[in-house]
Each structure stands twice: as structure tokens, then as C-alpha cells.
């Protein structure tokens, strides 16, 4: 994808000398991710996938929420083990794929996945909260926009400055 058709055609010709490729045209729907043209770029959306997750959970008509997790941590004693851990694991795994276009749920999904070995009723309640948040944010996605700069910017919440480079090399 790009805004210079001549450059794209040249790149495709060059790639085709080494690889067997086909130009499928403008991407619309690929691996469950829909590309929606918006002003100044594209929105990558998994709305159909979100609808499928809500349907699998039987929560298509649930009340939506505006946050995926509570701000305070529950301090209650562990509750009973959830009676259907397979359903919990299936939905938590589905959330993992959803984080491709929904980084806003990454923290909540990470927390859910930490309890896959033995989810409790409390964990199931937290998973349902994330489902209700997804229900309220079906139109959210990952926006990609053009930039006049050729610089690549990436962000991470990891603190790599504290890694001792001498201890990691050989």
C-alpha cells in the first residue's frame, strides 16, 4: 500500500523476479481484519470477529461498559473454580488475537491469560467485563495514517535501558 503508484508497480515487478506473487488489489478483508478507508488513512477493524466472540459467549445483547477493567484490585479470597474452563480458555485466546487491532485491551487480556490453568468464577466475571467493554467499543480499531516523514516510530512500555548489554552478548 502506498500513495506512489509508479513506485509500487516498480516494487512489485522487482519482487516478482524473485518470488511468485499476485497483486490482489486494494486490501479489504484479510485474516479477519477489515481495512476501512478513513480520512487520511485506514482503520484496521476486527468488528466481525468481535461480534463472533460476543456470540460465542452468548453476550450479544449485554450492557456495554466504557472500561475493560476496574481501577481497583479485588481483595476477596479465591472463589470457586469456574465450571467451564474450556469456554474461559477459548474466549481468552480469542481476545489474544483481537489485540492485533485493539491494543487497548492488551493489559486486561494479559491478566485473563494468567489464570487459564485454573480460572475461578471471579476470573470469569472479569472476562465478562472485557466482553461488555468490547460490546461498547465495536467501532474501535487501529488507525494507520500517512506521514510526510520516512521515519519509523515505535513505542514500547518496556524499560530496555536497564538491560546490561555485556551480560546479554555471548
Amino acid at each position: 500500500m502506498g500513495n506512489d503508484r509508479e513506485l509500487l508497480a516498480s516494487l512489485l515487478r522487482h519482487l516478482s523476479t524473485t518470488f511468485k506473487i499476485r497483486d490482489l488489489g486494494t486490501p479489504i478483508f484479510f485474516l479477519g481484519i477489515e481495512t476501512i478507508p478513513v480520512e487520511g488513512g485506514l482503520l484496521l477493524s476486527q468488528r466481525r470477529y468481535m461480534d463472533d466472540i460476543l456470540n460465542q459467549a452468548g453476550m450479544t445483547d449485554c450492557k456495554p461498559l466504557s472500561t475493560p477493567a476496574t481501577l481497583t484490585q479485588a481483595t476477596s479470597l479465591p472463589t470457586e473454580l469456574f465450571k467451564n474452563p474450556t469456554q474461559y480458555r477459548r474466549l481468552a485466546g480469542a481476545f489474544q488475537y483481537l489485540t492485533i487491532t485493539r491494543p487497548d485491551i492488551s493489559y486486561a487480556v494479559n491478566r485473563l491469560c494468567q489464570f487459564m490453568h485454573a480460572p475461578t468464577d471471579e476470573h470469569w466475571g472479569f472476562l465478562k467485563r472485557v466482553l461488555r467493554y468490547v460490546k461498547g467499543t465495536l467501532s474501535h480499531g487501529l488507525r494507520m495514517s500517512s506521514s510526510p516523514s520516512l521515519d519509523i516510530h515505535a513505542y514500547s512500555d518496556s524499560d530496555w535501558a536497564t538491560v546490561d548489554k555485556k551480560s546479554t552478548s555471548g
Side-chain angles (χ1 to χ4, degrees), residues 3-155:
N3 58 359
D4 187 335
R5 292 189 189 279
E6 201 171 297
L7 181 60
L8 287 173
S10 172
L11 176 64
L12 288 173
R13 279 193 305 275
H14 181 70
L15 287 172
S16 68
T17 63
T18 306
F19 304 102
K20 183 178 179 178
I21 63 169
R22 285 187 300 173
D23 182 1
L24 300 175
T26 304
I28 296 171
F29 199 78
F30 183 71
L31 295 175
I33 301 172
E34 184 177 9
T35 58
I36 303 167
V38 294
E39 186 177 334
L42 289 174
L43 179 70
L44 302 181
S45 171
Q46 290 178 284
R47 179 169 183 137
R48 292 182 197 174
Y49 187 64
M50 289 184 270
D51 286 334
D52 288 345
I53 293 171
L54 289 165
N55 191 38
Q56 285 177 23
M59 293 187 63
T60 54
D61 297 322
C62 67
K63 181 181 175 185
L65 289 175
S66 59
T67 59
T70 60
L71 297 176
T72 58
Q73 183 79 12
T75 57
S76 63
L77 296 173
T79 60
E80 295 288 320
L81 288 177
F82 183 57
K83 291 180 181 29
N84 191 348
T86 302
Q87 181 184 25
Y88 179 94
R89 292 177 187 120
R90 182 175 42 250
L91 292 169
F95 281 148
Q96 285 183 311
Y97 187 66
L98 184 58
T99 61
I100 293 171
T101 61
R102 295 293 305 272
D104 56 321
I105 65 169
S106 292
Y107 176 78
V109 171
N110 177 280
R111 292 289 297 151
L112 290 170
C113 291
Q114 291 177 15
F115 304 103
M116 281 195 171
H117 63 287
T120 65
D121 290 337
E122 186 175 0
H123 300 132
W124 176 247
F126 182 39
L127 188 141
K128 286 176 39 177
R129 180 181 178 92
V130 176
L131 284 164
R132 292 173 63 200
Y133 173 72
V134 166
K135 173 68 174 181
T137 58
L138 288 171
S139 63
H140 288 195
L142 188 62
R143 185 183 172 102
M144 297 175 55
S145 57
S146 60
S147 170
S149 170
L150 296 178
D151 294 339
I152 296 175
H153 298 273
Y155 301 93

Side-chain angles (χ1 to χ4, degrees), residues 148-164:
S149 170
L150 296 178
D151 294 339
I152 296 175
H153 298 273
Y155 301 93
S156 172
D157 62 356
S158 298
D159 188 2
W160 289 100
T162 61
V163 175
D164 181 4

